[in-house]
Amino acid sequence: TAFLSEIKSICDTVHPKSVRIIYWDTEVCAEEVYSIDQLDTIVTSTKPAGGGGTDVNCVTSYMTTNGITPQAAIILTDGYLYGGWGTWACPTLWCILSMGMEAVHKRMAWDRAVKEVQVAVEYRLSYMSTRHSRCTEEEREQLAQAWARILQG
């Protein structure tokens, strides 16, 4: 596949001591570790796994749980991510298929829109709390619940 060819090309360029491939969708499905003397066969010997959904947060959680501390991470994806980009404790390179860039742009636009709504709601909550003593607790609660629904998607 295109992804495996990219992995092989990166190995040929960088010459790492080892490579860890983590296959994931909404959870980690498989992990393979290749030593330097196995890198030439990486394309033919790997066993891809998974295939439904894309939540990269499962990878960072998996690495933390299993004590995996890479020098760098390279994420090969179609760009259709659910749940954000994850929080990485190492330098991270994102390689996204060109057809997935539309999804990335939509996600970025969505993130900006959510941030704008968040600021507006926080301002409104603050305004209602400090400026209008006649605003009821029920009205403040309704606004807070609306914000929670927006964040949940």
Side-chain angles (χ1 to χ4, degrees):
T1 69
F3 285 145
L4 293 174
S5 297
E6 289 301 320
I7 291 171
K8 176 70 170 102
S9 177
I10 291 166
C11 292
D12 290 345
T13 302
V14 180
H15 308 292
K17 291 180 183 174
S18 65
V19 171
R20 180 183 310 268
I21 299 175
I22 299 176
Y23 290 103
W24 52 278
D25 42 41
T26 58
E27 61 185 24
V28 171
C29 304
E31 174 186 2
E32 300 172 345
V33 179
Y34 294 88
S35 63
I36 194 166
D37 60 326
Q38 298 171 312
L39 296 178
D40 285 337
T41 63
I42 202 167
V43 173
T44 57
S45 62
T46 189
K47 305 280 187 269
T54 312
D55 185 358
V56 75
N57 292 300
C58 70
V59 178
T60 53
S61 295
Y62 180 86
M63 291 189 329
T64 299
T65 300
N66 292 285
I68 299 169
T69 54
Q71 290 180 318
I74 300 173
I75 310 300
L76 305 172
T77 177
D78 61 6
Y80 291 90
L81 299 170
Y82 306 99
W85 300 94
T87 303
W88 299 87
C90 63
T92 305
L93 173 65
W94 289 85
C95 300
I96 303 170
L97 291 175
S98 61
M99 65 183 187
M101 288 308 294
E102 180 182 337
V104 171
H105 291 140
K106 285 181 181 177
R107 177 64 193 217
M108 291 169 68
W110 171 253
D111 288 347
R112 277 192 302 274
V114 167
K115 183 64 178 170
E116 289 174 15
V117 170
Q118 178 184 15
V119 169
V121 169
E122 288 173 354
Y123 172 79
R124 184 68 178 144
L125 283 172
S126 174
Y127 182 79
M128 289 169 58
S129 296
T130 59
R131 303 278 188 229
H132 291 284
S133 59
R134 47 178 212 250
C135 178
T136 67
E137 183 64 32
E138 182 181 343
E139 289 170 325
R140 284 194 288 275
E141 181 62 27
Q142 287 174 347
L143 193 55
Q145 288 176 1
W147 171 236
R149 285 192 301 275
I150 289 168
L151 285 180
Q152 292 173 352

